[in-house]
Amino acid sequence: MLRKAMRNYTGDPRAVMLFTLSPWNLDSVGDVLKAAEDHDVKLTFSMYSATTSYLAKLTAGTAADSKYFRLGPSLARAVFTDADLAKAHEAMLDAMQRYPDTVIFSAEYADLITRPGPLYDMDPATGLPLDCGSRIRDPLRYFDTAGTQKQMKCCTPDVDCNHCRLYSGSWSKLFKPTQKHLADVGSFEGWLSMIETIGQIFLYPFPFESDA
């Protein structure tokens, strides 16, 4: 299925494939990158983020099923350990070096997204992040498919915020530089590099056409 999708988008400069890394697929990064290069398809990374439902089933010892709850080889948990995060970090940097014309990513962002522990400043009272860029706050509203307004923390509400490394929240948190990014020239250049990467992923550079 993946190769069929790649064939459909071969050479299309608008297409960017999102490769979601998990503890189960880190050894396949090289194969996926080679396939993307062979089909002239750009690639970027996200990271699997465990949901509260998944973690609850693991805690309860729920048996795996063939629909939505998988345990993987040797009943391994699809939850990043510190060792997994270090391996993912190495895989991202290696991918950028080996496939510079295929991978759209940032070394500074790889440092951020693979650091151990929660990525956000968690509110102990609510268990929700205070600095996530994807939180739904006024004046934003959330509606389900039936058109009913609901109170949700974000558009992926079942994801456990302590384990969240989704690229939507992580990237959107970076739109405004923090004091850390403004501490020195090198830090600011790193932030600019991440913002440039966001633009390469989400904005297609249509050529400007003048009316003159």
Side-chain angles (χ1 to χ4, degrees), residues 107-196:
E108 290 81 5
Y109 183 70
D111 293 344
L112 168 67
I113 202 68
T114 58
R115 72 186 188 195
L119 297 187
Y120 303 103
D121 181 15
M122 303 299 294
D123 183 350
T126 64
L128 298 177
L130 298 170
D131 55 345
C132 173
S134 286
R135 289 289 306 280
I136 298 176
R137 298 184 174 96
D138 287 336
L140 298 178
R141 298 290 187 271
Y142 180 96
F143 294 86
D144 64 15
T145 55
T148 304
Q149 182 177 334
K150 293 188 175 181
Q151 298 297 319
M152 295 290 183
K153 63 183 177 69
C154 67
C155 291
T156 50
D158 194 32
V159 169
D160 187 298
C161 296
N162 288 288
H163 292 271
C164 185
R165 299 176 188 276
L166 295 174
Y167 83 143
S168 55
S170 301
W171 276 127
S172 56
K173 178 183 176 181
L174 297 170
F175 289 157
K176 181 179 179 181
T178 65
Q179 289 299 316
K180 180 181 178 181
H181 298 134
L182 301 175
D184 52 57
V185 172
S187 299
F188 185 63
E189 289 178 340
W191 177 77
L192 288 177
S193 172
M194 290 189 284
I195 293 300
E196 181 180 13

Side-chain angles (χ1 to χ4, degrees), residues 76-92:
R77 297 158 54 99
V79 179
F80 283 100
T81 64
D82 290 355
D84 292 328
L85 291 173
K87 188 175 181 179
H89 182 266
E90 181 181 357
M92 292 174 181

Side-chain angles (χ1 to χ4, degrees), residues 16-22 25-26 28-30 32-34 36 42-48 87-97 99 102-107 109-110 113-114 165-168 170-171 197 201-202:
V16 179
M17 185 174 72
L18 178 63
F19 185 8
T20 300
L21 299 179
S22 82
N25 65 17
L26 294 177
S28 67
V29 172
V32 175
L33 285 167
K34 184 63 171 61
K42 302 296 184 184
L43 178 146
T44 191
F45 296 107
S46 186
M47 297 185 71
Y48 171 76
K87 188 175 181 179
H89 182 266
E90 181 181 357
M92 292 174 181
L93 297 186
D94 182 65
M96 293 174 63
Q97 182 176 6
Y99 298 91
T102 298
V103 176
I104 303 176
F105 213 61
S106 160
Y109 183 70
I113 202 68
T114 58
R165 299 176 188 276
L166 295 174
Y167 83 143
S168 55
S170 301
W171 276 127
T197 302
I201 295 171
F202 293 102

